Amino acid sequence: MTTEILSETVENGAYRIGRSEIPINETNGNSFVPPAQFYLAAGDSLERIAWAVSRNLPVLLVGETGVGKTLSVRHLAHMTNNGFRRVNLNGMTTVDEFVGKLMINEQGTYWVNGILVDAMESGDWLLIDEINACLPEIAFCLHSLLDDDRMIVLSEYDGRIVKPHPNFRLFASMNPHEDRRYGGTKPLNEALLDRFPVTVKMNYLPFEAEVEVIMQQSGNRDEELIKRMVRVGHDVREAMQNEKVFCTFSTRRLIDWARMAAQFDPMEAAVSTIFSKVNSFDAKVLEDIVDNHF
């Protein structure tokens, strides 16, 4: 089955993709607006995310590492001139870091915004990465923001109610937790999951699209070489599904391999960009798969 590449247009003050349209933010000078980066809108994931953004709905992105969850949001932020922030909830991130905290100096106490409140007040887009590794206190803090009243209360400070700027958008991402390949992750709390009106499950790119992305982002223009690398990636992912290996093989990893293979022999490049990232058992299986194509 062929995956459609959707066209993107910017005209008359709006960004359009498929059936979705987002107004361009006319504010200038925001240093958090991300720079341009090559992105291929394969499938309908970006269209669905854009639809949610246009209706101010929080979005949960679910997929393996390296499938483009962060890149999708960053790309949309660039195309629409919106600031983009990202916070990784590694299981140790505290409410103080996330929401804000009281500090003290010789003049007395003062409040310092965390990344959530800062993004809310600035009107930037915030991506909460690894949301299924967050502490319960952070999950409860998000409940009120994701509810219909869309606010948080700074109860640790002065009881001030913070409501988001009209341009603020909230995204969250998570890796699948079912096979336990991602340490520290767990099933997302149902109460929190239910507060995301839009959930987009993202998969690896189809063959031709992945080849194009890797060539563009790695700078390696040897198309035949890249195609062989992508076939390796597909074989490893199939082996993972069949529980013959227990590691991921992301597009990001293929980009790293292709970049180094522009200067080194592919097998030599694989030692530093692939085999060294997995355990000895998986490394042997991956080495056999690479040998089959090289």
Side-chain angles (χ1 to χ4, degrees):
M1 183 174 66
T2 302
T3 301
E4 183 182 4
I5 307 298
L6 297 182
S7 62
E8 304 172 86
T9 61
V10 175
E11 57 185 9
N12 299 325
Y15 162 85
R16 296 180 180 85
I17 178 169
R19 294 157 289 183
S20 302
E21 177 179 305
I22 306 173
I24 303 296
N25 185 356
E26 296 181 354
T27 304
N28 295 317
N30 187 342
S31 60
F32 287 103
V33 175
Q37 188 172 355
F38 180 79
Y39 185 88
L40 200 60
D44 59 4
S45 295
L46 194 67
E47 179 187 17
R48 292 169 185 264
I49 298 169
W51 179 85
V53 168
S54 70
R55 283 157 177 77
N56 199 6
L57 298 174
V59 183
L60 175 64
L61 307 174
V62 183
E64 299 281 356
T65 182
V67 297
K69 300 186 294 295
T70 300
L71 182 57
S72 297
V73 180
R74 184 187 291 126
H75 174 71
L76 272 183
H78 165 76
M79 296 297 291
T80 58
N81 194 40
N82 281 285
F84 171 77
R85 318 267 193 110
R86 178 186 177 193
V87 58
N88 190 295
L89 301 184
N90 55 19
M92 300 296 289
T93 307
T94 65
V95 173
D96 285 351
E97 296 171 292
F98 188 58
V99 177
K101 57 186 174 182
L102 279 171
M103 303 287 286
I104 188 168
N105 60 18
E106 58 275 10
Q107 278 80 43
T109 59
Y110 62 99
W111 176 261
V112 176
N113 286 341
I115 189 169
L116 173 62
V117 174
D118 205 30
M120 287 175 65
E121 293 185 336
S122 301
D124 291 333
W125 294 7
L126 178 64
L127 172 64
I128 303 172
D129 202 8
E130 308 296 353
I131 193 170
N132 57 333
C134 74
L135 296 173
E137 308 91 272
I138 290 181
F140 292 139
C141 170
L142 287 170
H143 284 184
S144 61
L145 178 59
L146 294 169
D147 281 338
D148 291 339
D149 50 7
R150 299 202 68 212
M151 66 181 190
I152 62 171
V153 180
L154 302 182
S155 55
E156 297 298 321
Y157 180 37
D158 56 2
R160 176 165 56 97
I161 293 175
V162 180
K163 293 193 174 184
H165 185 285
N167 291 339
F168 173 76
R169 296 292 185 275
L170 185 69
F171 308 84
S173 69
M174 57 183 277
N175 300 128
H177 64 85
E178 293 88 352
D179 50 18
R180 303 188 183 279
R181 283 183 292 106
Y182 299 98
T185 61
K186 54 188 179 294
L188 192 63
N189 179 285
E190 283 289 338
L192 183 55
L193 176 63
D194 200 45
R195 284 171 164 82
F196 283 95
V198 178
T199 298
V200 178
K201 290 192 174 181
M202 301 185 67
N203 297 310
Y204 292 111
L205 293 167
F207 183 85
E208 293 297 338
E210 191 165 28
V211 168
E212 180 64 21
V213 166
I214 292 165
M215 289 176 62
Q216 291 286 345
Q217 294 200 12
S218 70
N220 190 330
R221 307 303 300 176
D222 187 338
E223 185 172 357
E224 289 307 311
L225 173 67
I226 302 303
K227 285 182 176 179
R228 291 160 73 187
M229 289 180 165
V230 173
R231 291 189 186 102
V232 168
H234 283 215
D235 285 356
V236 174
R237 293 163 193 165
E238 183 177 348
M240 182 186 70
Q241 292 295 323
N242 295 326
E243 298 186 345
K244 294 180 180 178
V245 295
F246 299 92
C247 62
T248 61
F249 207 93
S250 66
T251 301
R252 183 188 300 122
R253 193 164 294 184
L254 283 168
I255 292 168
D256 293 339
W257 185 19
R259 186 185 296 117
M260 192 169 185
Q263 297 289 328
F264 295 84
D265 174 81
M267 183 61 78
E268 187 181 359
V271 171
S272 297
T273 58
I274 299 173
F275 306 145
S276 61
K277 295 181 179 179
V278 300
N279 63 48
S280 57
F281 174 83
D282 284 350
K284 183 62 176 70
V285 177
L286 264 60
E287 187 174 347
D288 290 342
I289 292 175
V290 173
D291 272 338
N292 288 338
H293 293 276
F294 290 93

